[in-house]
């Protein structure tokens, strides 16, 4: 028992040390593939590179980061038209933030919303109705592919030129949800809507929408502005053409409204993602090591549990009722001894024990009081009780008891048993 407990303690200690060493000194990737577009994320799908490039993009103007809320826009004043810029998977703003942003654009400023999902607080006013008839705006549509060709209606881009974008995850090209604006919500030029860019020719991903004296610029593919996309020269040209629509004023970089993940598109008429929770566990090094450790510990547990933990239980024979044999043996013993007095005294002890258990009477003093109490409780005549006690005194004081006296004593006691209450 002690050896088994010691082995378990040693095993648990070694597993704890192994876990610590794996977490502390195990090989960790230099970057994360999480698609969060955080400015502090230097991984493939962060925005640290594009933010650094925009620091000095407009001469004489600084990039101002909104770290707490869009409401910080009210604290800044500029003599020139300014720019609001959001690059992220999804954006969270409330009604007050939306009102402030609309007022900001209405005063002649620009707002660039580069995200995979458009907040309802903004879409309600920008797409309250489509160009032909009323239709509820739900969100961007998606096109699933691993590679797309993005085009821009810009003077630096010809009709035949395009920029290739592919989705890469851990060095492998995979399918991706490329968002685009449904054609039902692309109005004619008379309405002020301008289609500035597409991908794969048919899917609009970059538009300009007028509002007051300013414009909203919507781009549905923030991946084009991620760190991994900035590694290729042609992508830099594409981003520069997109940002050529910026005013020559300050740029307000919105870091406060970014959500950690992408909100699913309700318009998408497609099957669920192929990724499962198990895929996510294996994609995270710490969770993957934890999963492998659990498997290892489970295997060790099963191996140790296969060993028998107690001795083999012997097969016991079925119990037999030997009461009759016992009685026969005891009867033969008394018969051979021929000691009638001993038998009579033993029967008297049993008789007194019966009285104590049934009537709760003390048998220490067997006198007239005892006879009277026993007569009241058992409803046996006092004379019969006196006869038993008198015969018992004679047997006790005699050195020899005949067989006839023993039988007579036995009958009197049996008569008490049968008639007592």
């Amino acid at each position: 028992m002690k050896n088994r407990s010691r082995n378990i303690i040693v095993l648990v200690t070694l597993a704890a040390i192994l876990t610590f060493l794996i977490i502390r000194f195990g090989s960790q990737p230099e970057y994360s593939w999480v698609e969060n577009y955080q400015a502090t994320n230097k991984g493939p799908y962060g925005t640290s590179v594009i933010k650094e490039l925009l620091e000095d993009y407009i001469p004489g103007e600084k990039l101002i980061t909104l770290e707490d809320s869009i409401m910080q826009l009210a604290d800044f004043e500029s003599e020139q038209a300014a720019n609001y810029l959001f690059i992220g998977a999804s954006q969270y703003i409330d009604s007050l933030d939306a009102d402030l942003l609309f007022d900001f654009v209405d005063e002649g400023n620009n707002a660039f919303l580069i995200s995979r999902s458009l907040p309802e607080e903004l879409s309600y006013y920008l797409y309250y109705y489509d160009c032909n008839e009323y239709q509820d705006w739900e969100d961007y549509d998606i096109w699933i592919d691993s590679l797309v060709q993005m085009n821009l209606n810009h003077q630096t881009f010809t009709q035949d030129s395009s920029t290739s974008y592919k989705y890469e995850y851990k060095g492998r090209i995979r399918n991706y949800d490329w968002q685009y604006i449904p054609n039902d919500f692309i109005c004619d030029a008379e309405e002020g809507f301008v289609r500035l860019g597409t991908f794969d020719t048919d899917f609009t991903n970059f538009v300009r929408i007028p509002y007051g004296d300013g414009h909203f610029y919507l781009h549905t593919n923030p991946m084009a502005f991620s760190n991994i996309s900035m590694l290729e020269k042609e992508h830099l040209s594409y981003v520069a053409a997109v940002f050529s629509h910026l005013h020559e004023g300050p740029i307000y970089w919105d870091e406060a409204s970014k959500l950690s993940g992408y909100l699913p598109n309700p318009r998408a008429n497609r099957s669920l993602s192929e990724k499962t929770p198990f895929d996510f566990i294996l994609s995270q090094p710490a969770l993957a090591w934890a999963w492998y450790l659990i498997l290892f510990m489970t295997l060790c547990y099963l191996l140790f549990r296969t060993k028998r933990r107690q001795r083999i239980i012997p097969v016991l024979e079925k119990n037999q009722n030997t009461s009759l044999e016992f009685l026969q043996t005891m009867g033969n013993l008394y018969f051979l001894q021929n000691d009638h007095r001993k038998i009579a005294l033993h029967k008297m002890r049993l008789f007194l024990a019966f009285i104590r258990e049934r009537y709760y009477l003390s048998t220490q003093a067997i006198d007239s009081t005892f006879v009277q109490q026993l007569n009241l409780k058992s409803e046996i005549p006092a004379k019969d009780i006196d006869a038993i006690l008198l015969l018992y005194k004679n047997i006790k004081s005699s050195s020899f008891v005949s067989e006839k006296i023993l039988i007579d004593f036995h009958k009197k006691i049996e008569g008490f048993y049968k008639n007592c209450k």
Side-chain angles (χ1 to χ4, degrees):
M1 185 67 180
K2 293 182 179 180
N3 292 334
R4 181 167 65 252
S5 301
R6 184 171 61 252
N7 292 337
I8 294 176
I9 294 174
V10 171
L11 181 62
V12 172
T13 303
L14 291 177
I17 296 175
L18 179 62
T19 304
F20 172 78
L21 293 177
I22 291 174
I23 296 176
R24 179 64 180 84
F25 302 104
S27 59
Q28 298 291 336
E30 297 180 357
Y31 46 80
S32 172
W33 290 86
V34 176
E35 190 179 348
N36 60 12
Y37 301 103
Q38 297 289 336
T40 57
N41 182 6
K42 297 183 179 181
Y45 296 109
T47 54
S48 59
V49 175
I50 188 65
K51 184 181 180 183
E52 185 177 352
L53 293 176
L54 290 174
E55 291 283 354
D56 301 318
Y57 185 76
I58 298 177
E61 298 291 345
K62 291 294 185 179
L63 182 70
I64 302 172
T65 303
L66 307 179
E67 297 181 350
D68 298 327
S69 170
I70 295 180
M71 302 302 292
Q72 292 179 267
L73 282 174
D75 300 333
F76 300 104
E77 294 183 359
S78 175
E79 297 179 356
Q80 293 181 304
N83 306 277
Y84 167 83
L85 177 60
F86 175 85
I87 303 177
S90 300
Q91 183 181 19
Y92 173 77
I93 59 175
D94 56 23
S95 58
L96 295 178
D97 296 333
D99 292 340
L100 178 62
L101 188 58
F102 280 114
D103 292 339
F104 176 80
V105 176
D106 186 45
E107 294 174 357
N109 302 308
N110 287 339
F112 281 74
L113 305 178
I114 304 173
S115 62
R116 301 179 63 185
S117 178
L118 188 63
E120 182 179 357
E121 288 77 8
L122 299 179
S123 62
Y124 180 80
Y125 294 100
L126 296 179
Y127 287 107
Y128 183 72
Y129 56 87
D130 64 355
C131 304
N132 300 315
E133 59 183 7
Y134 179 83
Q135 181 176 340
D136 288 334
W137 168 266
E138 294 179 348
D139 208 342
Y140 299 140
D141 272 345
I142 65 170
W143 173 258
I144 303 177
D145 205 341
S146 59
L147 183 144
V148 296
Q149 301 291 332
M150 292 191 184
N151 308 279
L152 285 175
N153 298 331
H154 194 271
Q155 59 184 359
T156 61
F157 283 77
T158 64
Q159 184 68 26
D160 298 332
S161 65
S162 61
T163 305
S164 297
Y165 281 91
K166 60 182 179 295
Y167 176 66
E168 184 176 349
Y169 185 80
K170 292 187 177 181
R172 296 179 58 186
I173 307 300
R174 300 188 181 184
N175 283 339
Y176 187 72
D177 297 345
W178 303 90
Q179 276 70 24
Y180 67 92
I181 301 173
N183 290 330
D184 292 340
F185 294 90
I186 304 300
C187 298
D188 296 333
E190 296 82 31
E191 302 291 338
F193 283 60
V194 178
R195 186 189 311 220
L196 298 177
T198 61
F199 68 83
D200 290 354
T201 306
D202 298 326
F203 306 109
T204 302
N205 67 339
F206 187 30
V207 298
R208 182 179 67 192
I209 303 175
Y211 188 86
D213 294 332
H215 295 87
F216 280 92
Y217 289 85
L218 306 182
H219 198 293
T220 64
N221 305 125
M223 197 195 72
F225 304 83
S226 62
N227 295 337
I228 193 172
S229 298
M230 296 293 100
L231 299 178
E232 299 185 23
K233 184 177 180 180
E234 61 174 355
H235 293 167
L236 290 175
S237 300
Y238 178 89
V239 172
V242 171
F243 287 144
S244 65
H245 297 88
L246 291 170
H247 284 314
E248 296 294 328
I251 301 175
Y252 299 105
W253 175 283
D254 185 3
E255 191 73 14
S257 302
K258 293 182 181 180
L259 292 175
S260 59
Y262 160 59
L263 298 178
N265 189 341
R267 293 179 62 93
N269 184 17
R270 63 187 181 94
S271 59
L272 296 176
S273 173
E274 296 179 357
K275 291 185 178 180
T276 63
F278 187 72
D279 294 330
F280 175 77
I281 291 175
L282 295 183
S283 66
Q284 305 297 319
L287 295 179
W289 278 110
W291 171 253
Y292 295 139
L293 182 60
I294 290 175
L295 293 180
F296 173 74
M297 294 294 294
T298 303
L299 179 61
C300 292
Y301 175 78
L302 294 176
L303 290 176
F304 279 91
R305 289 289 294 183
T306 54
K307 184 178 179 180
R308 182 177 292 276
R309 301 181 62 186
Q310 64 181 22
R311 295 180 180 178
I312 299 176
I313 300 176
V315 179
L316 301 179
E317 295 182 0
K318 185 178 180 181
N319 293 332
Q320 297 180 357
N321 188 356
T322 58
S323 300
L324 296 178
E325 289 82 354
F326 174 76
L327 293 176
Q328 184 177 2
T329 302
M330 295 301 297
N332 292 334
L333 178 62
Y334 282 111
F335 177 76
L336 293 175
Q337 291 180 353
N338 199 21
D339 191 350
H340 300 148
R341 181 178 180 274
K342 186 175 182 180
I343 296 175
L345 295 177
H346 183 66
K347 288 183 68 67
M348 188 60 185
R349 287 195 294 271
L350 295 176
F351 174 71
L352 295 176
F354 172 80
I355 293 174
R356 289 194 298 270
E357 292 178 0
R358 185 156 185 170
Y359 301 114
Y360 303 102
L361 295 177
S362 174
T363 59
Q364 292 293 330
I366 302 176
D367 51 15
S368 60
T369 302
F370 171 79
V371 174
Q372 184 180 1
Q373 292 176 348
L374 183 59
N375 169 252
L376 293 175
K377 291 191 175 184
S378 65
E379 298 184 5
I380 297 296
K383 62 177 183 177
D384 295 339
I385 300 175
D386 288 334
I388 295 175
L389 297 179
L390 179 60
L391 187 57
Y392 167 66
K393 290 180 180 179
N394 294 333
I395 293 174
K396 186 177 182 181
S397 60
S398 301
S399 59
F400 174 79
V401 177
S402 66
E403 182 178 352
K404 180 179 180 302
I405 295 175
L406 175 61
I407 294 175
D408 187 27
F409 184 65
H410 169 74
K411 288 181 179 180
K412 292 182 182 300
I413 292 179
E414 287 297 321
F416 182 93
Y417 289 152
K418 290 179 181 180
N419 299 314
C420 66
K421 300 299 182 181

